[in-house]
Amino acid sequence: MHRTDLTASLVVFLVALPLCVGVAVASGVPAELGLITGIVGGLVAGALPGSSLHVSGPAAGLTVLVYEAVQRYGVGALGVLVLAAGLVQVAMGALRLGRWFRAISVAVVQGMLAGIGLVLVTGQVYAMADARAPTGGVAKVLGLPGLVGAVGGSGLAAVAVGVGTVAVLVGWPRWRAAARVAPAPLVAVALAAVVTALLDLPVRRVEVHGLLDAVQPPEAASFARLAEVGVVGTVLAFALIASAESLFSATAVDRLHDGPRTDYDKELIAQGAGNAVCGALGALPMTAVIVRSAANVRAGARTKAARVLHGVWLLLFVAAVPAALGVIPVAALAGVLVHAGWKLIPVRELVPLWRGHRGEAVVLVVTTGAIVVTNLFEGVLVGLVLAVAKTAWDTSQVQVETEDLGAVDGLRVRVRGNATFLRLPKLLDALEALPSDRPVQLDLGGLRHVDHACAAALEGWAVRSGAVAWGRL
């Protein structure tokens, strides 16, 4: 263990503590389940090979999906969902599929994060007012004007706590000397807890029941639900989105240090093993989290000992002083997640992206909107389909060149590029515009690809027009 790993582990512990609790509360499960996931992320995933400096735990990116799953299937089914997702991740890593996650369109990834951030922000605004959020992303957005008019009494106190928390999160990092000593999330939540206690504010606090009481291993009957189509879809969503977020974070973290690079397949197996353990304990799913990982690197971590130790500190804290969690206002945790959700929305990158790569910007916006309107899994699928369609359109370029060979030989028409059904109308329009009273030689030798639709259309046109064709036909 390097001498700086110990101090780095303490920094990561202080960053992870409020986030573990906040993600659990936002997911609609006991706060202890988020802490269990953080502990497993350190002790299990942290000890396995893959990435030395990546730190795992419950992530804001899965909050929306977990909340939907808990509302639909119940907390008791969460363990089965997470366990199955972890086994899927292990299988993907064993099959060496980790590197393929780097082939996913960046616009889809940014759209996914923006959609998660938007739903997270709109949902946690209600929690900042100690109010119950409507179900569904659209309902959350449409209900915001009514929330403003309905806040009063204790709700105003909760809003003040939440807004104050966000203000500390934004302002504290600017005080660089202090930010090196104490991370902003811990300072913000601690200040909110102190102010709430001193003023005896009538706001909702985190409910604590003990770590062992929160452990809920999945019952045998719950495994039968894996035969349901909806449950299988949720498991795949957990596995794919957790894997994508972890591996994309790994790429970002690798840019922050000059140590060993991440082995994507081993990291996928490590994440899967961690999720399998989390599922066996009935806890939240885990991913590698960029916020904790970046804090780990900046604090001077050199080996995996730092991330393992952060799990040890979480375990010791929960075992020694669990009652300390009961003084934390829920509005403060909501403020932490509102801040985290807003940072997921690429506001600054959108305008330059629109100017330089308009199609990518459309994919990003559509993916974001689809997640808000439907859910995370279906929204990402919409984004992937749109990205594939955009790529197919961009690569399907056909040029039709006409050369006049004289009155006897007629016209030579050369078709070049990639002929797919997406460009078929343009191709047929160009061919049908040729004069019908002159012989045509159709040269298809310049085509790199012809799909079935275009081949059939070209053959049919050549027969109808009496053209002599050679090349791909």
Side-chain angles (χ1 to χ4, degrees):
M1 181 177 71
H2 197 274
R3 60 185 178 83
T4 58
D5 286 333
L6 179 61
T7 54
S9 69
L10 291 170
V11 171
V12 178
F13 157 69
L14 296 175
V15 172
L17 180 62
L19 290 176
C20 287
V21 178
V23 169
V25 172
S27 300
V29 301
E32 293 86 351
L33 295 186
L35 291 166
I36 291 172
T37 299
I39 294 167
V40 174
L43 300 183
V44 178
L48 294 174
S51 172
S52 298
L53 304 181
H54 229 176
V55 183
S56 301
L62 282 174
T63 300
V64 176
L65 188 58
V66 173
Y67 181 83
E68 293 173 352
V70 169
Q71 295 301 308
R72 185 172 181 180
Y73 305 114
V75 178
L78 183 60
V80 171
L81 296 173
V82 178
L83 174 59
L87 295 178
V88 171
Q89 287 182 291
V90 171
M92 290 192 299
L95 294 172
R96 304 182 63 81
L97 299 179
R99 68 193 68 185
W100 288 99
F101 279 87
R102 290 179 289 180
I104 297 177
S105 166
V106 175
V108 174
V109 176
Q110 289 182 318
M112 178 188 77
L113 295 176
I116 291 169
L118 191 58
V119 174
L120 188 61
V121 168
T122 53
Q124 291 306 301
V125 165
Y126 292 87
M128 285 176 63
D130 277 354
R132 185 177 180 83
T135 302
V138 176
K140 288 183 176 69
V141 175
L142 296 179
L144 290 177
L147 176 66
V148 174
V151 171
S154 61
L156 287 175
V159 169
V161 170
V163 171
T165 301
V166 174
V168 173
L169 289 168
V170 173
W172 186 259
R174 299 180 181 178
W175 188 8
R176 296 184 178 180
R180 293 193 193 100
V181 178
L186 180 70
V187 173
V189 172
L191 286 175
V194 170
V195 171
T196 299
L198 290 178
L199 301 180
D200 194 22
L201 297 177
V203 299
R204 189 159 60 99
R205 268 94 162 170
V206 175
E207 296 180 8
V208 182
H209 303 290
L211 196 64
L212 292 179
D213 295 334
V215 174
Q216 298 180 359
E219 299 177 357
S222 299
F223 286 93
R225 304 204 67 175
L226 292 173
E228 300 177 20
V229 175
V231 171
V232 172
T234 302
V235 167
L236 292 177
F238 276 173
L240 295 176
I241 293 172
S243 300
E245 186 168 348
S246 295
L247 298 182
F248 295 146
S249 295
T251 302
V253 172
D254 282 347
R255 297 194 187 105
L256 300 178
H257 65 89
D258 54 4
R261 305 292 92 178
T262 298
D263 184 312
Y264 286 84
D265 298 316
K266 290 181 179 179
E267 179 67 15
L268 197 53
I269 292 174
Q271 294 297 320
N275 273 321
V277 175
C278 287
L281 299 174
L284 291 174
M286 73 166 61
T287 73
V289 187
I290 184 63
V291 175
R292 298 171 205 178
S293 302
N296 190 39
V297 173
R298 290 174 184 140
R302 293 292 182 270
T303 70
K304 67 175 64 177
R307 61 183 190 174
V308 175
L309 282 174
H310 115 276
V312 174
W313 307 141
L314 282 173
L315 178 59
L316 292 177
F317 176 85
V318 177
V321 284
L325 299 175
V327 303
I328 300 176
V330 172
L333 296 177
V336 171
L337 292 175
V338 165
H339 181 259
W342 179 255
K343 291 174 70 174
L344 293 175
I345 304 173
V347 178
R348 294 181 178 178
E349 292 85 353
L350 190 56
V351 173
L353 186 63
W354 176 260
R355 291 173 178 169
H357 305 278
R358 191 157 297 183
E360 294 292 309
V362 171
V363 172
L364 190 158
V365 172
V366 170
T367 304
T368 302
I371 289 173
V372 173
V373 173
T374 58
N375 55 55
L376 190 57
F377 185 56
E378 294 178 7
V380 170
L381 287 180
V382 169
L384 288 173
V385 170
L386 185 59
V388 171
K390 173 191 171 295
T391 301
W393 177 263
D394 289 342
T395 58
S396 179
Q397 299 292 337
V398 174
Q399 295 84 37
V400 180
E401 302 171 357
T402 304
E403 179 184 358
D404 193 338
L405 301 178
V408 177
D409 294 327
L411 302 174
R412 175 178 293 167
V413 179
R414 296 184 179 89
V415 183
R416 305 177 185 277
N418 298 302
T420 70
F421 68 96
L422 296 173
R423 299 292 182 173
L424 187 53
K426 172 185 175 181
L427 178 58
L428 290 178
D429 286 345
L431 294 176
E432 290 171 356
L434 296 172
S436 58
D437 57 346
R438 301 188 65 185
V440 175
Q441 301 176 28
L442 186 59
D443 181 3
L444 304 177
L447 285 175
R448 294 186 295 273
H449 171 75
V450 184
D451 67 8
H452 178 71
C454 280
L458 288 170
E459 186 175 3
W461 180 84
V463 171
R464 290 193 307 272
S465 63
V468 178
W470 69 87
R472 309 266 325 180
L473 296 179

PDB file of all heavy atoms in Angstrom, residues 241-275:
ATOM      1  N   ILE A 241     -26.868  -0.850 -18.339  1.00  0.00           N
ATOM      2  CA  ILE A 241     -26.643   0.548 -17.967  1.00  0.00           C
ATOM      3  C   ILE A 241     -25.566   0.655 -16.895  1.00  0.00           C
ATOM      4  O   ILE A 241     -24.704   1.543 -16.953  1.00  0.00           O
ATOM      5  CB  ILE A 241     -27.963   1.191 -17.503  1.00  0.00           C
ATOM      6  CG1 ILE A 241     -28.925   1.279 -18.696  1.00  0.00           C
ATOM      7  CG2 ILE A 241     -27.728   2.574 -16.915  1.00  0.00           C
ATOM      8  CD1 ILE A 241     -30.316   1.725 -18.348  1.00  0.00           C
ATOM      9  N   ALA A 242     -25.563  -0.268 -15.934  1.00  0.00           N
ATOM     10  CA  ALA A 242     -24.502  -0.263 -14.922  1.00  0.00           C
ATOM     11  C   ALA A 242     -23.147  -0.516 -15.569  1.00  0.00           C
ATOM     12  O   ALA A 242     -22.145   0.120 -15.213  1.00  0.00           O
ATOM     13  CB  ALA A 242     -24.793  -1.313 -13.851  1.00  0.00           C
ATOM     14  N   SER A 243     -23.101  -1.431 -16.521  1.00  0.00           N
ATOM     15  CA  SER A 243     -21.843  -1.728 -17.210  1.00  0.00           C
ATOM     16  C   SER A 243     -21.371  -0.530 -18.015  1.00  0.00           C
ATOM     17  O   SER A 243     -20.191  -0.156 -17.980  1.00  0.00           O
ATOM     18  CB  SER A 243     -22.022  -2.940 -18.136  1.00  0.00           C
ATOM     19  OG  SER A 243     -22.410  -4.088 -17.413  1.00  0.00           O
ATOM     20  N   ALA A 244     -22.291   0.069 -18.760  1.00  0.00           N
ATOM     21  CA  ALA A 244     -21.925   1.228 -19.577  1.00  0.00           C
ATOM     22  C   ALA A 244     -21.415   2.365 -18.709  1.00  0.00           C
ATOM     23  O   ALA A 244     -20.363   2.969 -18.994  1.00  0.00           O
ATOM     24  CB  ALA A 244     -23.128   1.679 -20.399  1.00  0.00           C
ATOM     25  N   GLU A 245     -22.130   2.669 -17.613  1.00  0.00           N
ATOM     26  CA  GLU A 245     -21.706   3.775 -16.759  1.00  0.00           C
ATOM     27  C   GLU A 245     -20.342   3.488 -16.134  1.00  0.00           C
ATOM     28  O   GLU A 245     -19.487   4.370 -16.048  1.00  0.00           O
ATOM     29  CB  GLU A 245     -22.749   4.024 -15.663  1.00  0.00           C
ATOM     30  CG  GLU A 245     -22.441   5.242 -14.821  1.00  0.00           C
ATOM     31  CD  GLU A 245     -23.597   5.669 -13.937  1.00  0.00           C
ATOM     32  OE1 GLU A 245     -24.714   5.164 -14.127  1.00  0.00           O
ATOM     33  OE2 GLU A 245     -23.368   6.504 -13.047  1.00  0.00           O
ATOM     34  N   SER A 246     -20.125   2.235 -15.725  1.00  0.00           N
ATOM     35  CA  SER A 246     -18.845   1.872 -15.113  1.00  0.00           C
ATOM     36  C   SER A 246     -17.692   1.993 -16.101  1.00  0.00           C
ATOM     37  O   SER A 246     -16.636   2.557 -15.785  1.00  0.00           O
ATOM     38  CB  SER A 246     -18.912   0.437 -14.575  1.00  0.00           C
ATOM     39  OG  SER A 246     -19.846   0.323 -13.526  1.00  0.00           O
ATOM     40  N   LEU A 247     -17.880   1.475 -17.303  1.00  0.00           N
ATOM     41  CA  LEU A 247     -16.786   1.459 -18.274  1.00  0.00           C
ATOM     42  C   LEU A 247     -16.536   2.838 -18.870  1.00  0.00           C
ATOM     43  O   LEU A 247     -15.398   3.187 -19.187  1.00  0.00           O
ATOM     44  CB  LEU A 247     -17.075   0.428 -19.364  1.00  0.00           C
ATOM     45  CG  LEU A 247     -17.187  -1.019 -18.847  1.00  0.00           C
ATOM     46  CD1 LEU A 247     -17.419  -1.991 -19.988  1.00  0.00           C
ATOM     47  CD2 LEU A 247     -15.944  -1.411 -18.064  1.00  0.00           C
ATOM     48  N   PHE A 248     -17.602   3.637 -19.021  1.00  0.00           N
ATOM     49  CA  PHE A 248     -17.391   5.005 -19.474  1.00  0.00           C
ATOM     50  C   PHE A 248     -16.655   5.806 -18.395  1.00  0.00           C
ATOM     51  O   PHE A 248     -15.799   6.638 -18.702  1.00  0.00           O
ATOM     52  CB  PHE A 248     -18.721   5.677 -19.806  1.00  0.00           C
ATOM     53  CG  PHE A 248     -19.433   5.040 -20.966  1.00  0.00           C
ATOM     54  CD1 PHE A 248     -20.816   4.972 -20.994  1.00  0.00           C
ATOM     55  CD2 PHE A 248     -18.732   4.480 -22.015  1.00  0.00           C
ATOM     56  CE1 PHE A 248     -21.471   4.373 -22.053  1.00  0.00           C
ATOM     57  CE2 PHE A 248     -19.381   3.870 -23.074  1.00  0.00           C
ATOM     58  CZ  PHE A 248     -20.751   3.821 -23.099  1.00  0.00           C
ATOM     59  N   SER A 249     -16.992   5.539 -17.132  1.00  0.00           N
ATOM     60  CA  SER A 249     -16.274   6.197 -16.037  1.00  0.00           C
ATOM     61  C   SER A 249     -14.815   5.780 -16.025  1.00  0.00           C
ATOM     62  O   SER A 249     -13.931   6.591 -15.751  1.00  0.00           O
ATOM     63  CB  SER A 249     -16.923   5.846 -14.692  1.00  0.00           C
ATOM     64  OG  SER A 249     -18.229   6.349 -14.599  1.00  0.00           O
ATOM     65  N   ALA A 250     -14.554   4.494 -16.330  1.00  0.00           N
ATOM     66  CA  ALA A 250     -13.178   4.006 -16.365  1.00  0.00           C
ATOM     67  C   ALA A 250     -12.354   4.769 -17.394  1.00  0.00           C
ATOM     68  O   ALA A 250     -11.195   5.136 -17.144  1.00  0.00           O
ATOM     69  CB  ALA A 250     -13.158   2.512 -16.681  1.00  0.00           C
ATOM     70  N   THR A 251     -12.968   5.028 -18.550  1.00  0.00           N
ATOM     71  CA  THR A 251     -12.264   5.788 -19.582  1.00  0.00           C
ATOM     72  C   THR A 251     -11.926   7.189 -19.095  1.00  0.00           C
ATOM     73  O   THR A 251     -10.818   7.695 -19.319  1.00  0.00           O
ATOM     74  CB  THR A 251     -13.134   5.874 -20.848  1.00  0.00           C
ATOM     75  OG1 THR A 251     -13.445   4.553 -21.310  1.00  0.00           O
ATOM     76  CG2 THR A 251     -12.430   6.633 -21.949  1.00  0.00           C
ATOM     77  N   ALA A 252     -12.880   7.807 -18.399  1.00  0.00           N
ATOM     78  CA  ALA A 252     -12.650   9.161 -17.886  1.00  0.00           C
ATOM     79  C   ALA A 252     -11.585   9.163 -16.799  1.00  0.00           C
ATOM     80  O   ALA A 252     -10.712  10.044 -16.764  1.00  0.00           O
ATOM     81  CB  ALA A 252     -13.959   9.731 -17.340  1.00  0.00           C
ATOM     82  N   VAL A 253     -11.621   8.171 -15.908  1.00  0.00           N
ATOM     83  CA  VAL A 253     -10.654   8.117 -14.814  1.00  0.00           C
ATOM     84  C   VAL A 253      -9.250   7.846 -15.343  1.00  0.00           C
ATOM     85  O   VAL A 253      -8.262   8.391 -14.835  1.00  0.00           O
ATOM     86  CB  VAL A 253     -11.065   7.042 -13.783  1.00  0.00           C
ATOM     87  CG1 VAL A 253      -9.973   6.832 -12.746  1.00  0.00           C
ATOM     88  CG2 VAL A 253     -12.364   7.447 -13.098  1.00  0.00           C
ATOM     89  N   ASP A 254      -9.140   7.020 -16.374  1.00  0.00           N
ATOM     90  CA  ASP A 254      -7.824   6.731 -16.958  1.00  0.00           C
ATOM     91  C   ASP A 254      -7.143   7.988 -17.478  1.00  0.00           C
ATOM     92  O   ASP A 254      -5.905   8.045 -17.565  1.00  0.00           O
ATOM     93  CB  ASP A 254      -7.960   5.703 -18.092  1.00  0.00           C
ATOM     94  CG  ASP A 254      -8.122   4.286 -17.572  1.00  0.00           C
ATOM     95  OD1 ASP A 254      -7.893   4.062 -16.358  1.00  0.00           O
ATOM     96  OD2 ASP A 254      -8.489   3.404 -18.365  1.00  0.00           O
ATOM     97  N   ARG A 255      -7.940   8.980 -17.851  1.00  0.00           N
ATOM     98  CA  ARG A 255      -7.364  10.232 -18.333  1.00  0.00           C
ATOM     99  C   ARG A 255      -6.799  11.087 -17.196  1.00  0.00           C
ATOM    100  O   ARG A 255      -6.057  12.034 -17.444  1.00  0.00           O
ATOM    101  CB  ARG A 255      -8.418  11.050 -19.095  1.00  0.00           C
ATOM    102  CG  ARG A 255      -8.951  10.379 -20.357  1.00  0.00           C
ATOM    103  CD  ARG A 255      -9.714  11.378 -21.205  1.00  0.00           C
ATOM    104  NE  ARG A 255     -10.380  10.744 -22.331  1.00  0.00           N
ATOM    105  CZ  ARG A 255     -11.684  10.517 -22.398  1.00  0.00           C
ATOM    106  NH1 ARG A 255     -12.471  10.901 -21.408  1.00  0.00           N
ATOM    107  NH2 ARG A 255     -12.220   9.935 -23.454  1.00  0.00           N
ATOM    108  N   LEU A 256      -7.173  10.758 -15.961  1.00  0.00           N
ATOM    109  CA  LEU A 256      -6.770  11.571 -14.819  1.00  0.00           C
ATOM    110  C   LEU A 256      -5.452  11.139 -14.196  1.00  0.00           C
ATOM    111  O   LEU A 256      -4.928  11.832 -13.330  1.00  0.00           O
ATOM    112  CB  LEU A 256      -7.870  11.536 -13.739  1.00  0.00           C
ATOM    113  CG  LEU A 256      -9.255  12.046 -14.135  1.00  0.00           C
ATOM    114  CD1 LEU A 256     -10.229  11.883 -12.972  1.00  0.00           C
ATOM    115  CD2 LEU A 256      -9.190  13.502 -14.578  1.00  0.00           C
ATOM    116  N   HIS A 257      -4.926   9.984 -14.600  1.00  0.00           N
ATOM    117  CA  HIS A 257      -3.688   9.505 -13.985  1.00  0.00           C
ATOM    118  C   HIS A 257      -2.830   8.816 -15.042  1.00  0.00           C
ATOM    119  O   HIS A 257      -3.289   8.513 -16.149  1.00  0.00           O
ATOM    120  CB  HIS A 257      -4.000   8.536 -12.832  1.00  0.00           C
ATOM    121  CG  HIS A 257      -4.666   7.262 -13.256  1.00  0.00           C
ATOM    122  ND1 HIS A 257      -3.958   6.140 -13.620  1.00  0.00           N
ATOM    123  CD2 HIS A 257      -5.970   6.925 -13.388  1.00  0.00           C
ATOM    124  CE1 HIS A 257      -4.787   5.172 -13.942  1.00  0.00           C
ATOM    125  NE2 HIS A 257      -6.015   5.617 -13.814  1.00  0.00           N
ATOM    126  N   ASP A 258      -1.584   8.563 -14.692  1.00  0.00           N
ATOM    127  CA  ASP A 258      -0.658   7.929 -15.627  1.00  0.00           C
ATOM    128  C   ASP A 258      -0.282   6.518 -15.196  1.00  0.00           C
ATOM    129  O   ASP A 258       0.720   5.964 -15.643  1.00  0.00           O
ATOM    130  CB  ASP A 258       0.609   8.775 -15.782  1.00  0.00           C
ATOM    131  CG  ASP A 258       1.270   9.085 -14.435  1.00  0.00           C
ATOM    132  OD1 ASP A 258       0.784   8.569 -13.398  1.00  0.00           O
ATOM    133  OD2 ASP A 258       2.271   9.829 -14.425  1.00  0.00           O
ATOM    134  N   GLY A 259      -1.111   5.917 -14.326  1.00  0.00           N
ATOM    135  CA  GLY A 259      -0.860   4.555 -13.867  1.00  0.00           C
ATOM    136  C   GLY A 259      -1.400   3.525 -14.842  1.00  0.00           C
ATOM    137  O   GLY A 259      -1.712   3.840 -16.007  1.00  0.00           O
ATOM    138  N   PRO A 260      -1.536   2.274 -14.404  1.00  0.00           N
ATOM    139  CA  PRO A 260      -2.027   1.202 -15.277  1.00  0.00           C
ATOM    140  C   PRO A 260      -3.420   1.511 -15.812  1.00  0.00           C
ATOM    141  O   PRO A 260      -4.271   2.042 -15.094  1.00  0.00           O
ATOM    142  CB  PRO A 260      -2.042  -0.029 -14.359  1.00  0.00           C
ATOM    143  CG  PRO A 260      -1.087   0.306 -13.257  1.00  0.00           C
ATOM    144  CD  PRO A 260      -1.176   1.782 -13.068  1.00  0.00           C
ATOM    145  N   ARG A 261      -3.658   1.174 -17.080  1.00  0.00           N
ATOM    146  CA  ARG A 261      -4.958   1.399 -17.703  1.00  0.00           C
ATOM    147  C   ARG A 261      -5.961   0.323 -17.266  1.00  0.00           C
ATOM    148  O   ARG A 261      -5.591  -0.771 -16.844  1.00  0.00           O
ATOM    149  CB  ARG A 261      -4.842   1.372 -19.222  1.00  0.00           C
ATOM    150  CG  ARG A 261      -3.839   2.334 -19.819  1.00  0.00           C
ATOM    151  CD  ARG A 261      -4.250   3.800 -19.645  1.00  0.00           C
ATOM    152  NE  ARG A 261      -3.698   4.376 -18.431  1.00  0.00           N
ATOM    153  CZ  ARG A 261      -3.870   5.637 -18.063  1.00  0.00           C
ATOM    154  NH1 ARG A 261      -4.615   6.437 -18.815  1.00  0.00           N
ATOM    155  NH2 ARG A 261      -3.335   6.101 -16.957  1.00  0.00           N
ATOM    156  N   THR A 262      -7.223   0.633 -17.413  1.00  0.00           N
ATOM    157  CA  THR A 262      -8.275  -0.294 -17.033  1.00  0.00           C
ATOM    158  C   THR A 262      -8.365  -1.462 -18.009  1.00  0.00           C
ATOM    159  O   THR A 262      -8.323  -1.268 -19.224  1.00  0.00           O
ATOM    160  CB  THR A 262      -9.636   0.427 -16.998  1.00  0.00           C
ATOM    161  OG1 THR A 262      -9.590   1.466 -16.016  1.00  0.00           O
ATOM    162  CG2 THR A 262     -10.765  -0.536 -16.663  1.00  0.00           C
ATOM    163  N   ASP A 263      -8.478  -2.678 -17.476  1.00  0.00           N
ATOM    164  CA  ASP A 263      -8.816  -3.845 -18.278  1.00  0.00           C
ATOM    165  C   ASP A 263     -10.341  -3.956 -18.263  1.00  0.00           C
ATOM    166  O   ASP A 263     -10.928  -4.322 -17.248  1.00  0.00           O
ATOM    167  CB  ASP A 263      -8.179  -5.113 -17.696  1.00  0.00           C
ATOM    168  CG  ASP A 263      -8.414  -6.337 -18.558  1.00  0.00           C
ATOM    169  OD1 ASP A 263      -9.577  -6.567 -18.964  1.00  0.00           O
ATOM    170  OD2 ASP A 263      -7.455  -7.096 -18.802  1.00  0.00           O
ATOM    171  N   TYR A 264     -10.982  -3.618 -19.377  1.00  0.00           N
ATOM    172  CA  TYR A 264     -12.436  -3.485 -19.407  1.00  0.00           C
ATOM    173  C   TYR A 264     -13.147  -4.789 -19.083  1.00  0.00           C
ATOM    174  O   TYR A 264     -14.183  -4.795 -18.408  1.00  0.00           O
ATOM    175  CB  TYR A 264     -12.883  -2.949 -20.768  1.00  0.00           C
ATOM    176  CG  TYR A 264     -12.585  -1.485 -20.954  1.00  0.00           C
ATOM    177  CD1 TYR A 264     -11.331  -1.060 -21.389  1.00  0.00           C
ATOM    178  CD2 TYR A 264     -13.542  -0.524 -20.692  1.00  0.00           C
ATOM    179  CE1 TYR A 264     -11.044   0.282 -21.544  1.00  0.00           C
ATOM    180  CE2 TYR A 264     -13.273   0.826 -20.839  1.00  0.00           C
ATOM    181  CZ  TYR A 264     -12.019   1.229 -21.277  1.00  0.00           C
ATOM    182  OH  TYR A 264     -11.740   2.555 -21.412  1.00  0.00           O
ATOM    183  N   ASP A 265     -12.643  -5.902 -19.562  1.00  0.00           N
ATOM    184  CA  ASP A 265     -13.297  -7.177 -19.309  1.00  0.00           C
ATOM    185  C   ASP A 265     -13.190  -7.574 -17.840  1.00  0.00           C
ATOM    186  O   ASP A 265     -14.166  -8.040 -17.237  1.00  0.00           O
ATOM    187  CB  ASP A 265     -12.700  -8.264 -20.197  1.00  0.00           C
ATOM    188  CG  ASP A 265     -12.917  -7.975 -21.681  1.00  0.00           C
ATOM    189  OD1 ASP A 265     -14.039  -7.579 -22.038  1.00  0.00           O
ATOM    190  OD2 ASP A 265     -11.960  -8.112 -22.464  1.00  0.00           O
ATOM    191  N   LYS A 266     -12.006  -7.382 -17.244  1.00  0.00           N
ATOM    192  CA  LYS A 266     -11.852  -7.698 -15.825  1.00  0.00           C
ATOM    193  C   LYS A 266     -12.667  -6.747 -14.955  1.00  0.00           C
ATOM    194  O   LYS A 266     -13.220  -7.150 -13.928  1.00  0.00           O
ATOM    195  CB  LYS A 266     -10.366  -7.634 -15.442  1.00  0.00           C
ATOM    196  CG  LYS A 266      -9.532  -8.758 -16.028  1.00  0.00           C
ATOM    197  CD  LYS A 266      -8.079  -8.655 -15.584  1.00  0.00           C
ATOM    198  CE  LYS A 266      -7.251  -9.799 -16.165  1.00  0.00           C
ATOM    199  NZ  LYS A 266      -5.825  -9.693 -15.767  1.00  0.00           N
ATOM    200  N   GLU A 267     -12.742  -5.494 -15.359  1.00  0.00           N
ATOM    201  CA  GLU A 267     -13.545  -4.535 -14.606  1.00  0.00           C
ATOM    202  C   GLU A 267     -15.018  -4.913 -14.656  1.00  0.00           C
ATOM    203  O   GLU A 267     -15.751  -4.785 -13.666  1.00  0.00           O
ATOM    204  CB  GLU A 267     -13.332  -3.121 -15.159  1.00  0.00           C
ATOM    205  CG  GLU A 267     -14.140  -2.036 -14.460  1.00  0.00           C
ATOM    206  CD  GLU A 267     -13.719  -1.809 -13.019  1.00  0.00           C
ATOM    207  OE1 GLU A 267     -12.632  -2.280 -12.614  1.00  0.00           O
ATOM    208  OE2 GLU A 267     -14.489  -1.157 -12.294  1.00  0.00           O
ATOM    209  N   LEU A 268     -15.460  -5.406 -15.801  1.00  0.00           N
ATOM    210  CA  LEU A 268     -16.849  -5.840 -15.942  1.00  0.00           C
ATOM    211  C   LEU A 268     -17.134  -7.029 -15.026  1.00  0.00           C
ATOM    212  O   LEU A 268     -18.189  -7.105 -14.387  1.00  0.00           O
ATOM    213  CB  LEU A 268     -17.128  -6.202 -17.397  1.00  0.00           C
ATOM    214  CG  LEU A 268     -18.581  -6.290 -17.848  1.00  0.00           C
ATOM    215  CD1 LEU A 268     -19.346  -5.027 -17.503  1.00  0.00           C
ATOM    216  CD2 LEU A 268     -18.649  -6.552 -19.343  1.00  0.00           C
ATOM    217  N   ILE A 269     -16.188  -7.954 -14.937  1.00  0.00           N
ATOM    218  CA  ILE A 269     -16.350  -9.096 -14.036  1.00  0.00           C
ATOM    219  C   ILE A 269     -16.371  -8.624 -12.581  1.00  0.00           C
ATOM    220  O   ILE A 269     -17.173  -9.110 -11.765  1.00  0.00           O
ATOM    221  CB  ILE A 269     -15.218 -10.118 -14.263  1.00  0.00           C
ATOM    222  CG1 ILE A 269     -15.353 -10.763 -15.644  1.00  0.00           C
ATOM    223  CG2 ILE A 269     -15.226 -11.183 -13.178  1.00  0.00           C
ATOM    224  CD1 ILE A 269     -14.208 -11.681 -16.021  1.00  0.00           C
ATOM    225  N   ALA A 270     -15.512  -7.666 -12.242  1.00  0.00           N
ATOM    226  CA  ALA A 270     -15.482  -7.145 -10.876  1.00  0.00           C
ATOM    227  C   ALA A 270     -16.803  -6.475 -10.516  1.00  0.00           C
ATOM    228  O   ALA A 270     -17.346  -6.681  -9.416  1.00  0.00           O
ATOM    229  CB  ALA A 270     -14.322  -6.156 -10.723  1.00  0.00           C
ATOM    230  N   GLN A 271     -17.340  -5.679 -11.444  1.00  0.00           N
ATOM    231  CA  GLN A 271     -18.624  -5.032 -11.191  1.00  0.00           C
ATOM    232  C   GLN A 271     -19.737  -6.074 -11.055  1.00  0.00           C
ATOM    233  O   GLN A 271     -20.622  -5.949 -10.206  1.00  0.00           O
ATOM    234  CB  GLN A 271     -18.951  -4.058 -12.326  1.00  0.00           C
ATOM    235  CG  GLN A 271     -18.031  -2.864 -12.432  1.00  0.00           C
ATOM    236  CD  GLN A 271     -18.080  -1.965 -11.223  1.00  0.00           C
ATOM    237  OE1 GLN A 271     -19.146  -1.724 -10.666  1.00  0.00           O
ATOM    238  NE2 GLN A 271     -16.928  -1.467 -10.800  1.00  0.00           N
ATOM    239  N   GLY A 272     -19.690  -7.095 -11.902  1.00  0.00           N
ATOM    240  CA  GLY A 272     -20.703  -8.147 -11.827  1.00  0.00           C
ATOM    241  C   GLY A 272     -20.638  -8.915 -10.523  1.00  0.00           C
ATOM    242  O   GLY A 272     -21.671  -9.229  -9.914  1.00  0.00           O
ATOM    243  N   ALA A 273     -19.419  -9.229 -10.068  1.00  0.00           N
ATOM    244  CA  ALA A 273     -19.264  -9.935  -8.798  1.00  0.00           C
ATOM    245  C   ALA A 273     -19.792  -9.083  -7.646  1.00  0.00           C
ATOM    246  O   ALA A 273     -20.478  -9.592  -6.742  1.00  0.00           O
ATOM    247  CB  ALA A 273     -17.791 -10.286  -8.573  1.00  0.00           C
ATOM    248  N   GLY A 274     -19.485  -7.785  -7.683  1.00  0.00           N
ATOM    249  CA  GLY A 274     -19.995  -6.892  -6.653  1.00  0.00           C
ATOM    250  C   GLY A 274     -21.512  -6.827  -6.653  1.00  0.00           C
ATOM    251  O   GLY A 274     -22.157  -6.863  -5.594  1.00  0.00           O
ATOM    252  N   ASN A 275     -22.110  -6.743  -7.833  1.00  0.00           N
ATOM    253  CA  ASN A 275     -23.565  -6.694  -7.915  1.00  0.00           C
ATOM    254  C   ASN A 275     -24.204  -8.013  -7.487  1.00  0.00           C
ATOM    255  O   ASN A 275     -25.297  -8.022  -6.917  1.00  0.00           O
ATOM    256  CB  ASN A 275     -24.003  -6.323  -9.335  1.00  0.00           C
ATOM    257  CG  ASN A 275     -24.081  -4.831  -9.538  1.00  0.00           C
ATOM    258  OD1 ASN A 275     -24.517  -4.097  -8.653  1.00  0.00           O
ATOM    259  ND2 ASN A 275     -23.641  -4.358 -10.686  1.00  0.00           N
TER     260      ASN A 275
END
